[in-house]
Amino acid sequence: MGEVAQPAPQGTDLFGDYSPAVTVAAAVILVLAISVIDKLTGYDLQISIVQLLPIAMVTWAVGRTWGLALSAAAIALWITIFRGAHHYSSPIYFYWDAVGLLITFVTVVLLIGKLRDVLRGHELSISVLEKLDAPAYVVDLQGQAVLVGNREFRTAFEGRSAEELGRYPAHESRFKLADGRSAMLRILTL
């Protein structure tokens, strides 16, 4: 059957346990530092793509809106720094570079924002499941596999097949997983 998933340790985050304000402040400082380094290295060696690191930090810590705002600020700063330094025959090519960089930043912000939302929703689901005082688990109805179980379930029933577990009385609720598969939450009533 496989191993039943357990929840992640509490209190850990991708960028540490800092407040969103600290993360945003650090990201703004990074954007400014990267911009200064970018200016010092010149237009031919564009390191502005490194701005993705602070933009990702902000998006993960406080969401899409702030990530998009920092992206716009980074692009505005880039345009200001390099407006007269480019060597193109027409300024349209310079602005084309800016648009390409902005599209890259926005794409990454949207992807990280979506990942953040999905993972936080999953964490909430697991947290609620763990707080139940009865054995509970989620089973994939197509593959007949137990996907996740709470502490009480893992203690008493881990290693049993979905078919065997189906014989125990339970409160059941069907739902669809994010990928469209049918699943069922079973709270055993022993």
Side-chain angles (χ1 to χ4, degrees):
M1 174 182 92
E3 202 170 303
V4 177
Q6 296 185 26
Q10 292 291 325
T12 58
D13 197 5
L14 185 63
F15 296 109
D17 294 328
Y18 302 107
S19 74
V22 170
T23 303
V24 170
V28 168
I29 291 168
L30 272 173
V31 164
L32 293 173
I34 292 166
S35 295
V36 167
I37 294 168
D38 201 11
K39 173 67 173 166
L40 292 174
T41 59
Y43 187 76
D44 291 333
L45 181 63
Q46 292 184 21
I47 63 165
S48 52
I49 196 72
V50 178
Q51 300 284 17
L52 282 173
L53 177 63
I55 290 168
M57 287 171 53
V58 165
T59 303
W60 189 262
V62 291
R64 275 185 210 96
T65 303
W66 283 89
L68 292 171
L70 191 59
S71 296
I75 292 297
L77 194 54
W78 184 83
I79 289 172
T80 302
I81 289 171
F82 290 115
R83 185 178 9 215
H86 69 86
H87 49 65
Y88 294 126
S89 59
S90 171
I92 191 76
Y93 300 125
F94 170 72
Y95 291 109
W96 177 257
D97 282 350
V99 168
L101 195 57
L102 180 62
I103 289 171
T104 302
F105 289 174
V106 167
T107 301
V108 169
V109 165
L110 295 177
L111 290 172
I112 289 174
K114 181 67 173 171
L115 178 64
R116 175 184 184 258
D117 293 345
V118 168
L119 289 177
R120 296 223 167 142
H122 179 72
E123 287 173 3
L124 177 63
S125 301
I126 296 296
S127 175
V128 169
L129 191 65
E130 280 297 316
K131 289 181 176 149
L132 293 173
D133 58 0
Y137 66 99
V138 175
V139 63
D140 174 3
L141 294 176
Q142 291 173 345
Q144 287 299 311
V146 175
L147 301 175
V148 65
N150 67 359
R151 183 178 52 257
E152 283 76 15
F153 174 81
R154 290 189 305 272
T155 301
F157 298 97
E158 189 165 25
R160 299 187 187 184
S161 70
E163 183 181 331
E164 180 183 351
L165 291 168
R167 295 187 200 121
Y168 291 99
H171 296 288
E172 298 177 338
S173 180
R174 292 176 185 262
F175 63 97
K176 295 272 187 198
L177 296 171
D179 62 6
R181 291 179 294 162
S182 296
M184 181 184 308
L185 168 65
R186 297 194 79 233
I187 303 172
L188 301 178
T189 57
L190 305 173

